[in-house]
Amino acid sequence: MKMNRIEKWMVNRSSSEKSGIKLVNRLLNFVDLDNAQCILDIGCGRGAITRLLAERYAGSQVVGIDIDEEELAIAEENNTHQSVRFIKGDGRKIPVNDRSLDLALASGVLHHIYDWEKVIGEIGRTLKVNGFFILADMVYPDWVTRIDERSGFKFGLYTLDVNKLTRLLQDEGFITVHSAFRKRYLWQEYEAVFLKVWEKAWARF
């Protein structure tokens, strides 16, 4: 789901961008990649984190995908990295080949996707063995998402079941490298880094 204009303003504030970059920089400390070739930023918005990834992994191809064409146009205008591409794409159907990614990142995305489980399946399909998945998101209680569903200012909030998410990633061959919660007033901030250590047998054919 696309962000409404209120959320776009909140997400794209300078302070929000800086805090997002700071968070991702910290989570990248849990990632051990020597020769990353292809990196994906899911829900890239205006591309601040995409460009950060290009700077951290010079020589890698970095792809930012988003469903919002307005945000992608701004990302293109701000991009000065030849190794970065921005394309329209949905995390539930990632437009890259099987087992082609060394690193995938989703920051503040899954709580906007009703069927976020499909994104996890796509992460399993597209990540190589020894590839990393970085996740940072907000976990809302059910009562908050029910209020949002009835609201005229609907933000498109869905409850992220972290236990289910972790089990699904385990089924896709991932182990947890790092995870943490931070309590806020109406939600919890969740961060995690996962490493893919094996490939499902039926995915090899």
Side-chain angles (χ1 to χ4, degrees):
M1 178 176 176
K2 292 182 181 179
M3 295 183 292
N4 63 32
R5 295 205 174 273
I6 296 173
E7 190 169 16
K8 281 187 181 182
W9 173 79
M10 294 170 62
V11 168
N12 291 317
R13 290 179 302 170
S14 175
S15 58
S16 298
E17 183 176 297
K18 288 177 181 177
S19 62
I21 288 173
K22 182 178 179 180
L23 171 61
V24 171
N25 262 324
R26 180 166 55 77
L27 293 178
L28 286 171
N29 291 329
F30 295 96
V31 173
D32 183 14
L33 280 177
D34 292 327
N35 297 302
Q37 296 177 325
C38 191
I39 296 171
L40 178 70
D41 181 12
I42 301 169
C44 64
R46 297 184 179 183
I49 290 174
T50 318
R51 295 189 295 274
L52 166 67
L53 293 170
E55 292 163 5
R56 284 286 296 256
Y57 297 98
S60 302
Q61 291 295 313
V62 183
V63 179
I65 64 170
D66 205 291
I67 62 172
D68 192 320
E69 293 179 347
E70 289 182 5
E71 296 292 280
L72 287 172
I74 295 171
E76 287 281 11
E77 290 175 6
N78 294 332
N79 183 38
T80 58
H81 299 275
Q82 292 186 346
S83 62
V84 171
R85 289 189 301 133
F86 293 104
I87 59 177
K88 186 175 181 179
D90 190 327
R92 295 168 296 184
K93 193 173 182 181
I94 297 173
V96 301
N97 294 330
D98 295 357
R99 297 180 289 283
S100 61
L101 299 175
D102 298 288
L103 171 64
L105 179 145
S107 180
V109 176
L110 295 193
H111 74 274
H112 279 305
I113 302 175
Y114 173 74
D115 48 353
W116 55 263
E117 298 90 344
K118 292 181 179 178
V119 179
I120 303 305
E122 284 291 88
I123 292 296
R125 177 183 70 82
T126 57
L127 262 286
K128 302 174 184 176
V129 172
N130 296 321
F132 286 85
F133 174 44
I134 295 176
L135 175 65
D137 221 310
M138 290 172 279
V139 180
Y140 290 94
D142 289 336
W143 67 267
V144 171
T145 59
R146 286 195 297 268
I147 290 173
D148 179 68
E149 179 66 30
R150 300 183 181 98
S151 170
F153 294 99
K154 184 173 172 59
F155 287 91
L157 305 179
Y158 300 102
T159 300
L160 187 62
D161 184 335
V162 172
N163 290 329
K164 181 179 182 181
L165 180 146
T166 303
R167 290 195 304 271
L168 290 172
L169 282 167
Q170 288 171 346
D171 291 344
E172 295 288 344
F174 288 82
I175 61 171
T176 303
V177 175
H178 163 76
S179 68
F181 287 93
R182 186 172 294 104
K183 180 67 176 174
R184 298 301 185 191
Y185 183 62
L186 293 178
W187 66 86
Q188 293 187 84
E189 293 180 351
Y190 173 65
E191 62 181 55
V193 179
F194 302 93
L195 170 65
K196 187 173 183 180
V197 294
W198 54 270
E199 189 72 70
K200 293 189 301 188
W202 57 87
R204 298 172 188 161
F205 302 99

